[in-house]
Amino acid sequence: MSSVREEFGSLVFDDRIMKATLSKKVYDSLKKTIDQGQSLDINVANAVASAMKDWAVSKGATHYTHWFQPLTGITAEKHDSFISPSPDGGVIMEFSGKELIKGEPDASSFPSGGIRATFEARGYTAWDPTSYAFIKGKTLCIPTAFCSYGGEALDKKTPLLRSMQAINKQALRILRLFGNDTVKCVKTSVGPEQEYFLIDKQMYEKRPDLKFTGRTLFGARPPKGQEMDDHYFGVIKPRVLEYMEDLNVELWKLGILAKTEHNEVAPAQHELAPIYTTTNIATDHNQLTMEIMQKVASKHGLVCLLHEKPFDGVNGSGKHNNWSISTDEGTNLLSPGETPYENAQFLLFLCAVIKAVDDYQDLLRISVATAGNDHRLGANEAPPAVVSIFLGDELNGILEAIEKDEAYSGVEKTQIKLGVHVLPKFNRDTTDRNRTSPFAFTGNKFEFRMLGSSNSIACTNMMLNSAVAESLKTFADELEGAKDFDKALHDLIQRTIKEHKRIIFNGNGYDDSWIKEAVEERGLLNYKTTADCMPHILDKKNVDMLTSHKVFSEVELKSRCEIMLENYVKTVTIEANTMSSMTKTAIAPAIVSYTTDLAKSIKEKTSVCDTLLCTYEKEALTKLSCLTDCISIKLKELDDAIIALTPIESTEDKAYHIRDTVLPRMGELRALCDEAESITAKEYWPFPSYADLLFGVK
Ligand code: ADP
Ligand code: MG
């Protein structure tokens, strides 16, 4: 392989390639579009399209696609070839500016939550020049947004880009108040840490539940799980290491800054973290990363599971969204500064996040809500479903001192007067100890840990950016009118701490007593399932905030709520059907043949010698026969629950039925089948066991 430096970004139409292949005029004009959002001239688009095509063809591409992120959770693409007939009977490779800017996928099968039905059947895709085009296989992929003809967003990228504009606008107002007239724009950055499982492909192929639903719906606990904690940061197995090396190369080619990888807590679980980048690009990259992870796994005879909870009783997989705000001048606004003014500014941005997380706890919870992630949150392995912020002792001490106008006794006793005193330097290393917090300050960024491994990070970041934009807006409104800025700033920060300190919690988030305190004493929200939280996206305060910053229209929010609930209902329905079918066609027959053989054996043995007790066989036979009877009852109950879904009209009511009836019945059926597995001879059991799956890769 050529060197990493040569390989890095070799499949990306990035700034280096643009500079090299575009005329200065075209390049400058495109840069203005990318950096300042100026609209693009068609002549410029034509020139860019032509250069892009030549570059892609030189790399072996024959097709192009508008690559977008519909609301299904995956990415979508429709391939068109560059080929165009030439008068001499041959073909030429063509790609116009028009084709670059706008596409019209046959989008009628993408979810729209009713939007398209009321407008027009088709949607269109529009080029997002802020995210580089790249080559996948033989296809040039152009990152795009996906909208209805009425202009409503049907994807995840559009609201994310809008939220970035919103936070940019409000953050600039604040920076101007601190006398900064040179900053041109403020962007949020994200580094998402991605967890995943790797299992053997042959084992996977034998599990219909993994194939259809991404998770095991059955499986008795193995004798060894993760109790020894011997996998975490342990030596990486050779086959996994080869996979990781190959994966890195593929990601590097796409310009993705894959940086660290290590084993995670559960057996067969691993993590990959890229170096952080602008949120929009980080989102595209994370989406691509997930896709490439699965592709590369397949080449190695492995399967990469991105489901949040592939195995019961073993830690699930999450995604940590490391988030910060910085200026185009390179200042991280969540980093404590060197001067009193920088510190006051830092505290104001910190307070904006605290207020945002408190005011919009529900939106953050909603942004990570899927049927899969419901299995993790609150299950003593992932943060609880209650949102709270961890600041660490030192920062907490500083806020308390400000709140009470008391001396801060951290490093040396000082009365902190904002705008006058330099904050005591706090040790960054001590800030990241608490792994149980959903939203932790880690020195110069916040780490939101509630995301599920398969979630798109777009959803969380659009909510986070919007909520913080809203805090900054109320702050700017207040401060812009102030006569004495320093006093107004001090009062505002002090008041914000007082009003929102209930969201700050530095203790153990896994503790049951915390959930009690959070809900009963602090009045924090605890939405345990997707069905519980999703309808609240339409609460007036949320609609007001998101529409006022133009991140969503009300129609878009209604459609999103509908689609997310629909996804929840569909996901669980597929799981329930898969369970029912696996039980009927494989599990029950396996138990029957084992028990029949047991019965035969007892009969044969006692016919040879009638004093034989056959205790083991008889006990197993009795137990398994009883279990089969119970399984038969629970199976019928589950089938009835699935049938009962059809006549329910509203998606919201369907979701409640899933939560209250289907999921509990699935749990009951599973418990019985798992118990049967644990006493059935292995050769009879139709599926690879948890031990086979979790410890199968050497
Ligand atoms: P860990 O959380 O495992 O201790 P790190 O803190 O080193 O690991 O980084 C985790 C992720 O946070 C990485 O993807 C890294 O690029 C990202 N990150 C680091 N600094 C920032 C920042 N200022 N803004 C956003 N993400 C960041
Ligand atoms: Mg982390």
Side-chain angles (χ1 to χ4, degrees):
M1 188 194 101
S2 47
S3 75
V4 173
R5 275 190 61 191
E6 274 170 48
E7 200 83 27
F8 188 83
S10 61
L11 296 178
V12 185
F13 192 73
D14 60 17
D15 202 56
R16 296 174 299 181
I17 306 291
M18 289 182 197
K19 262 205 189 102
T21 58
L22 300 172
S23 72
K24 180 154 180 355
K25 206 171 139 225
V26 170
Y27 174 81
D28 288 346
S29 169
L30 179 61
K31 264 310 239 190
K32 277 209 181 106
T33 303
I34 293 173
D35 295 339
Q36 295 159 31
Q38 290 194 1
S39 60
L40 199 72
D41 182 85
I42 186 68
N43 294 321
V44 174
N46 278 329
V48 176
S50 169
M52 239 186 218
K53 184 245 331 170
D54 289 344
W55 168 81
V57 170
S58 79
K59 297 261 171 196
T62 52
H63 288 67
Y64 72 91
T65 182
H66 276 199
W67 184 78
F68 59 101
Q69 295 162 36
L71 295 167
T72 42
I74 44 165
T75 55
E77 40 197 71
K78 174 192 154 224
H79 297 189
D80 280 303
S81 80
F82 290 124
I83 289 178
S84 178
S86 65
D88 61 2
V91 290
I92 48 167
M93 303 293 253
E94 261 186 357
F95 186 46
S96 70
K98 210 169 128 242
E99 287 166 312
L100 167 65
I101 292 176
K102 193 167 169 181
E104 295 187 21
D106 174 17
S108 49
S109 55
F110 291 112
S112 75
I115 283 184
R116 267 197 322 267
T118 51
F119 292 84
E120 238 198 284
R122 285 175 313 169
Y124 69 91
T125 49
W127 180 33
D128 166 21
T130 62
S131 183
Y132 298 137
F134 56 92
I135 294 173
K136 220 172 54 184
K138 289 186 176 301
T139 304
L140 167 69
C141 298
I142 299 150
T144 56
F146 178 40
C147 301
S148 78
Y149 264 93
E152 282 84 10
L154 295 172
D155 68 349
K156 296 177 185 144
K157 181 182 280 260
T158 310
L160 177 68
L161 289 171
R162 293 177 187 158
S163 76
M164 290 174 73
Q165 278 173 11
I167 197 168
N168 173 49
K169 183 171 161 192
Q170 303 304 334
L172 281 176
R173 286 177 68 194
I174 298 286
L175 292 177
R176 301 288 181 250
L177 283 167
F178 280 87
N180 187 330
D181 292 322
T182 48
V183 168
K184 284 200 209 62
C185 79
V186 171
K187 282 185 181 166
T188 56
S189 301
V190 170
E193 297 162 71
Q194 175 75 48
E195 289 180 339
Y196 61 99
F197 279 86
L198 274 186
I199 60 166
D200 189 89
K201 198 172 184 181
Q202 283 177 354
M203 300 286 176
Y204 169 88
E205 292 295 340
K206 292 182 190 148
R207 299 271 328 199
D209 45 1
L210 282 177
K211 284 193 342 194
F212 295 135
T213 73
R215 74 177 178 110
T216 54
L217 299 168
F218 301 98
R221 303 265 166 105
K224 179 182 172 188
Q226 63 187 57
E227 36 300 272
M228 308 288 284
D229 275 341
D230 51 356
H231 186 68
Y232 193 45
F233 282 89
V235 177
I236 302 176
K237 291 174 180 153
R239 208 169 147 202
V240 174
L241 199 61
E242 274 172 32
Y243 164 78
M244 286 176 169
E245 283 167 5
D246 201 5
L247 175 63
N248 275 342
V249 173
E250 293 306 316
L251 293 174
W252 288 338
K253 284 188 204 162
L254 288 165
I256 297 172
L257 295 151
K259 171 100 172 146
T260 48
E261 61 236 341
H262 58 78
N263 289 350
E264 266 300 325
V265 178
Q269 193 183 30
H270 312 280
E271 183 190 287
L272 179 139
I275 296 173
Y276 68 99
T277 174
T278 313
T279 308
N280 174 32
I281 294 170
T283 302
D284 285 358
H285 280 182
N286 181 249
Q287 215 63 42
L288 259 179
T289 301
M290 291 194 283
E291 191 182 321
I292 306 291
M293 283 167 95
Q294 286 168 313
K295 262 200 195 136
V296 174
S298 185
K299 276 204 293 188
H300 289 254
L302 299 165
V303 173
C304 169
L305 300 177
L306 289 169
H307 194 282
E308 282 73 20
K309 193 71 183 172
F311 305 100
D312 212 37
V314 170
N315 269 10
S317 300
K319 180 144 48 192
H320 292 173
N321 191 79
N322 293 274
W323 176 92
S324 62
I325 329 174
S326 51
T327 69
D328 58 336
E329 294 172 346
T331 309
N332 179 351
L333 298 170
L334 293 179
S335 192
E338 304 289 335
T339 67
Y341 253 58
E342 278 170 9
N343 274 315
Q345 184 181 296
F346 158 71
L347 285 172
L348 190 64
F349 277 96
L350 184 75
C351 283
V353 178
I354 293 171
K355 175 175 159 57
V357 174
D358 188 21
D359 286 344
Y360 299 100
Q361 302 157 43
D362 44 359
L363 288 181
L364 289 176
R365 171 67 183 90
I366 286 165
S367 78
V368 299
T370 59
N373 212 18
D374 283 355
H375 296 289
R376 276 178 74 240
L377 299 178
N380 286 333
E381 52 160 277
V386 178
V387 180
S388 67
I389 297 182
F390 169 83
L391 290 178
D393 292 340
E394 282 167 295
L395 195 49
N396 210 44
I398 292 168
L399 293 195
E400 266 174 18
I402 296 171
E403 181 199 345
K404 298 183 182 129
D405 274 328
E406 280 172 1
Y408 172 67
S409 53
V411 187
E412 47 192 63
K413 262 198 179 298
T414 39
Q415 182 97 25
I416 296 172
K417 200 155 172 268
L418 288 168
V420 177
H421 284 118
V422 180
L423 282 184
K425 275 262 173 284
F426 48 86
N427 185 351
R428 284 178 193 188
D429 292 338
T430 62
T431 54
D432 196 21
R433 295 273 161 77
N434 190 325
R435 290 261 155 203
T436 65
S437 173
F439 205 99
F441 183 68
T442 51
N444 60 358
K445 63 186 192 298
F446 277 99
E447 182 167 340
F448 183 41
R449 303 189 176 123
M450 279 169 85
L451 287 80
S453 46
S454 70
N455 284 155
S456 158
I457 62 168
C459 305
T460 275
N461 287 295
M462 64 182 79
M463 295 308 180
L464 190 52
N465 292 344
S466 307
V468 175
E470 172 66 14
S471 303
L472 294 172
K473 179 186 173 290
T474 58
F475 289 180
D477 287 348
E478 185 171 329
L479 294 174
E480 277 168 359
K483 287 200 189 77
D484 178 347
F485 178 73
D486 285 355
K487 183 176 180 310
L489 180 66
H490 174 270
D491 292 351
L492 173 60
I493 289 180
Q494 193 175 50
R495 182 161 29 90
T496 308
I497 298 169
K498 276 192 188 134
E499 283 173 5
H500 297 284
K501 66 177 177 192
R502 65 167 186 164
I503 197 78
I504 299 169
F505 175 64
N506 291 301
N508 181 1
Y510 294 178
D511 220 330
D512 287 340
S513 64
W514 158 239
I515 304 301
K516 204 165 164 323
E517 179 190 330
V519 176
E520 289 171 16
E521 288 163 37
R522 302 195 186 200
L524 299 179
L525 299 169
N526 184 16
Y527 294 135
K528 293 200 180 107
T529 70
T530 302
D532 293 313
C533 69
M534 199 51 75
H536 292 285
I537 199 172
L538 296 175
D539 286 359
K540 187 172 178 316
K541 77 167 179 65
N542 294 333
V543 175
D544 285 351
M545 187 276 279
L546 291 165
T547 54
S548 77
H549 290 280
K550 301 197 167 49
V551 175
F552 284 106
S553 68
E554 196 167 348
V555 176
E556 287 171 345
L557 282 172
K558 282 194 179 135
S559 97
R560 244 149 249 251
C561 178
E562 177 77 14
I563 291 167
M564 299 319 281
L565 286 172
E566 223 170 71
N567 284 350
Y568 173 75
V569 172
K570 277 186 194 156
T571 306
V572 181
T573 307
I574 293 170
E575 290 178 349
N577 280 320
T578 307
M579 268 194 116
S580 169
S581 139
M582 283 170 78
T583 309
K584 285 177 202 147
T585 63
I587 293 176
I591 307 173
V592 169
S593 57
Y594 181 49
T595 45
T596 307
D597 285 355
L598 282 173
K600 277 189 200 150
S601 149
I602 296 165
K603 207 171 154 198
E604 258 175 46
K605 281 186 178 176
T606 46
S607 74
V608 176
C609 171
D610 62 7
T611 56
L612 287 176
L613 293 176
C614 298
T615 317
Y616 183 80
E617 290 98 319
K618 281 182 185 166
E619 268 182 19
L621 176 61
T622 314
K623 188 106 199 261
L624 281 169
S625 300
C626 287
L627 279 171
T628 325
D629 292 338
C630 297
I631 286 172
S632 152
I633 294 167
K634 291 295 167 193
L635 183 62
K636 169 99 182 34
E637 286 179 11
L638 179 61
D639 283 343
D640 288 346
I642 300 171
I643 292 166
L645 256 179
T646 317
I648 301 175
E649 277 183 15
S650 86
T651 314
E652 197 173 322
D653 289 338
K654 279 188 202 283
Y656 297 143
H657 178 70
I658 290 279
R659 177 193 65 191
D660 299 334
T661 311
V662 179
L663 280 166
R665 290 188 183 175
M666 284 167 64
E668 288 165 5
L669 178 60
R670 172 177 185 150
L672 295 169
C673 292
D674 288 358
E675 198 181 339
E677 182 187 347
S678 69
I679 48 172
T680 299
K682 192 164 168 42
E683 60 183 289
Y684 286 79
W685 201 256
F687 308 116
S689 68
Y690 264 33
D692 298 331
L693 293 167
L694 288 167
F695 300 97
V697 178
K698 293 284 174 265

